[in-house]
Amino acid sequence: EDPELAMAAAVAIELLHCASLVHDDLPCFDNSPMRRGQPSVHAKFGERLAVLAGDGIIVLAFQVLAKAQVRYPQRIASMIALIAQATGAPDGIVAGQAWECEPKANLRDYQRAKTGALFVAATSAGALSAGADPKQWQGLGDCLGEAYQVADDIRDVMGQADLLGKPVGQDAQHDRPNAIANLGLSGAIKHFESLIQAASDSIPEGPNAQSMRELVMQQSERLVPREAFMAFRASSSQSVSH
């Protein structure tokens, strides 16, 4: 019903994601020199400008929402509240990042806050912009967000820097909560597959439900390519035997 509001929400969520990556790469967190295959912001421009850049992008996200020329202005306040909740504490990406500062963390709570919160915001914002009940779409965002983080853990241990666009082995290096440490590689793969199935099953019935389920399955293969996993497992077996 309101494509301008949907687009503004999508842009805001992507900006917030980018801001979280700028901050995540800082020396006080991951100290990562690379992001998306290029020098991270702090590596190229310095730590102080990286902090300011991340802060500025967060503000820009909400400016995009505030300035949107929407058809139903009364939905803007609910949209801002929805996206702000996914960004801050106690359930947003700020809370997820804070879990990394703790000696122990519940893996599910950590992953659903750090990554899942923005996925829930995306699926819920889409519903809200269409005048639908956003709560019906929270399950899809929850499952996709956790699946994405599990996939990130899997690629990190498999050493797929080309897919990650950043250095690998970060979870072990920083002793962060991750699916591999909890479940092992095969267990993490099974958990990822169960999350993808749960995501597919959570999609409400409607004219395009089947197309959306097919899209979820396509994303599954993109996130954890079956061929790459089989090749990694084969090479690991050979290393052990040698």
Side-chain angles (χ1 to χ4, degrees), residues 69-220:
Q69 300 297 310
V70 300
R71 188 178 299 174
Y72 298 98
Q74 67 273 22
R75 295 177 187 169
I76 283 284
S78 296
M79 188 71 79
I80 289 174
L82 174 75
I83 294 176
Q85 182 179 358
T87 308
D91 302 311
I93 54 177
V94 169
Q97 194 70 25
W99 276 116
E100 288 191 6
C101 305
E102 299 294 332
K104 289 185 178 180
N106 179 285
L107 181 62
R108 183 166 184 165
D109 289 345
Y110 162 70
Q111 291 186 334
R112 290 206 165 185
K114 183 176 181 184
T115 307
L118 286 186
F119 279 80
V120 173
T123 56
S124 299
L128 186 61
S129 66
D133 181 5
K135 291 183 179 179
Q136 292 185 341
W137 294 88
Q138 286 180 357
L140 176 61
D142 260 334
C143 293
L144 283 178
E146 189 176 355
Y148 186 92
Q149 187 61 57
V150 172
D152 196 68
D153 292 347
I154 291 168
R155 294 199 302 266
D156 183 73
V157 79
M158 287 170 60
Q160 293 184 305
D162 56 330
L163 290 178
L164 288 171
K166 60 182 181 180
V168 296
Q170 294 289 294
D171 290 336
Q173 180 180 337
H174 298 284
D175 194 27
R176 288 189 304 221
N178 65 88
I180 307 301
N182 277 30
L183 305 169
L185 183 57
S186 295
I189 290 280
K190 290 179 181 178
H191 183 46
F192 170 78
E193 291 173 342
S194 71
L195 288 168
I196 289 295
Q197 187 60 56
S200 177
D201 293 342
S202 75
I203 295 172
E205 290 299 332
N208 297 310
Q210 185 55 39
S211 297
M212 291 192 68
R213 292 187 182 107
E214 291 172 2
L215 181 60
V216 167
M217 293 304 174
Q218 289 172 12
Q219 289 299 301
S220 167

Side-chain angles (χ1 to χ4, degrees), residues 8 11-12 15 56-68 76 80:
V11 171
L15 285 169
I57 296 170
I58 293 169
V59 175
L60 179 60
F62 290 99
Q63 285 178 321
V64 168
L65 282 173
K67 291 180 178 180
I76 283 284
I80 289 174

